[in-house]
Amino acid sequence: MAEVNGDLLTIDGLAQRTGLTTRNIRAYQSRGLLPPPEVRGRTGYYGEEHVARLDLIREMQADGFNLTAIKRLIDGSEGEWEDMLGFKRAALAWETEEPEVITLDELATRFGVQPDDDPGPLERAIRLGVVVPLGGDRFELPSPALIAAGEEVVAAGVPLDTTIDVLTKIVRHTEAVARSFTQLFLDHVLRPFQARGAPPEEWPQVRESIERLRPVARQAVAATFAIQMTVAAEETYGRVLGGEGFEAGRGAHAAASESRSSRRRVHSGRRRRGAGR
């Protein structure tokens, strides 16, 4: 059993819970990164605060901090590191998909091409970040839904190169939108907070602001896209169906019909004159 005495864990249970080795846990403890366990008899027991601290250490290491920097931040912040970490997690807590791993053959089959065809489209998709090479013939798809959408567009008859052209524009424009929202928060919330000396009691409000921004950003993008799609569809299809292209087509058809009618009238007149002679 990993858990004993309620929520308390032995060092082996803590290692099992966190995915670390007992050696790493002891090393963190010896460096002062992990509070000592509660000792009962000759056994040390660890609780949820130890689990949270180890999660923090791993997260900060993934962000590029070494153990010395992590200890300095923890020791010198008087608990503020928890607020900063909470803010960072809130800022990055956008819903993302579960990545999919796929082979080159599978990817080619989905888009109706051969694996040894022109590598240009695949290279462009990699530069866009929608396909990530893992080595060999294996690739990661960070957004399977985006790839599925592209697959449907190609299946509808749009060339693969053209589909990637459109995808490139989408990525470029959504990147600009994301940067606009980020800059908005930076200029009007985070920088004023820093200018006030980053008072610890205001961290909850800062975190709440970034959490409120997420649904607002989604709603604004979705609403604006719907409006712009309606406008674009009216303009584009209006020209084709009721404007330039369609009228031109109807005009050409009418002219051809009139020409055929004229030829029939001339031919009919000739026959009547011939019959009169």
Side-chain angles (χ1 to χ4, degrees), residues 110-244:
R110 287 176 60 172
F111 284 91
V113 297
Q114 296 298 319
D116 56 354
D117 282 351
D118 178 17
L122 177 59
E123 292 171 355
R124 293 177 63 192
I126 291 173
R127 287 197 298 271
L128 278 177
V130 297
V131 175
V132 179
L134 299 178
D137 70 340
R138 290 166 56 83
F139 297 86
E140 181 182 89
L141 309 180
S143 174
L146 186 60
I147 296 299
E151 185 181 354
E152 289 296 325
V153 171
V154 171
V158 178
L160 180 57
D161 274 332
T162 303
T163 300
I164 296 180
D165 287 341
V166 173
L167 181 59
T168 301
K169 293 178 182 178
I170 292 173
V171 170
R172 184 171 65 247
H173 289 300
T174 51
E175 180 182 8
V177 171
R179 291 189 181 278
S180 295
F181 273 105
T182 303
Q183 194 67 40
L184 179 71
F185 178 83
L186 180 65
D187 291 342
H188 297 280
V189 178
L190 192 56
R191 281 180 175 159
F193 168 69
Q194 291 176 324
R196 292 192 297 272
E201 66 275 10
E202 291 188 21
W203 271 114
Q205 289 90 336
V206 173
R207 179 172 176 176
E208 181 185 359
S209 295
I210 193 67
E211 289 174 343
R212 292 176 65 180
L213 178 66
R214 275 200 304 275
V216 170
R218 288 196 190 95
Q219 292 167 8
V221 171
T224 305
F225 179 72
I227 292 171
Q228 294 304 319
M229 277 296 295
T230 301
V231 172
E234 288 176 350
E235 292 178 351
T236 302
Y237 303 137
R239 285 196 303 268
V240 174
L241 299 178
E244 305 162 2

Side-chain angles (χ1 to χ4, degrees), residues 251-266:
H253 179 73
S257 298
E258 179 62 26
S259 177
R260 287 193 296 270
S261 297
S262 298
R263 287 197 297 271
R264 283 196 297 269
R265 287 195 298 271
V266 170

Side-chain angles (χ1 to χ4, degrees), residues 10-213:
T10 64
I11 191 169
D12 290 329
L14 183 62
Q16 179 183 343
R17 171 82 174 271
T18 60
L20 296 169
T21 65
T22 57
R23 181 178 179 180
N24 280 339
I25 293 173
R26 290 193 176 97
Y28 293 150
Q29 189 171 325
S30 67
R31 298 186 65 143
L33 288 165
L34 190 67
E38 178 184 343
V39 179
R40 298 181 182 179
R42 295 186 177 181
T43 305
Y45 294 106
Y46 300 83
E48 288 301 320
E49 71 275 13
H50 295 94
V51 175
R53 178 64 64 88
L54 290 174
D55 287 343
L56 166 71
I57 293 170
R58 291 201 301 178
E59 186 170 344
M60 294 184 73
Q61 283 183 306
D63 286 339
F65 291 92
N66 59 37
L67 294 180
T68 300
I70 294 172
K71 186 175 188 306
R72 185 165 56 245
L73 179 61
I74 291 175
D75 290 345
S77 63
E78 298 182 351
E80 189 176 341
W81 59 269
E82 294 178 332
D83 292 320
M84 290 187 287
L85 183 61
F87 168 74
K88 192 204 80 168
R89 287 172 174 168
L92 300 179
W94 293 86
E95 294 179 6
T96 56
E97 302 172 58
E98 187 69 27
E100 177 184 350
V101 176
I102 193 171
T103 66
L104 180 60
D105 286 345
E106 291 170 337
L107 188 60
T109 299
R110 287 176 60 172
F111 284 91
V113 297
Q114 296 298 319
D116 56 354
D117 282 351
D118 178 17
L122 177 59
E123 292 171 355
R124 293 177 63 192
I126 291 173
R127 287 197 298 271
L128 278 177
V130 297
V131 175
V132 179
L134 299 178
D137 70 340
R138 290 166 56 83
F139 297 86
E140 181 182 89
L141 309 180
S143 174
L146 186 60
I147 296 299
E151 185 181 354
E152 289 296 325
V153 171
V154 171
V158 178
L160 180 57
D161 274 332
T162 303
T163 300
I164 296 180
D165 287 341
V166 173
L167 181 59
T168 301
K169 293 178 182 178
I170 292 173
V171 170
R172 184 171 65 247
H173 289 300
T174 51
E175 180 182 8
V177 171
R179 291 189 181 278
S180 295
F181 273 105
T182 303
Q183 194 67 40
L184 179 71
F185 178 83
L186 180 65
D187 291 342
H188 297 280
V189 178
L190 192 56
R191 281 180 175 159
F193 168 69
Q194 291 176 324
R196 292 192 297 272
E201 66 275 10
E202 291 188 21
W203 271 114
Q205 289 90 336
V206 173
R207 179 172 176 176
E208 181 185 359
S209 295
I210 193 67
E211 289 174 343
R212 292 176 65 180
L213 178 66

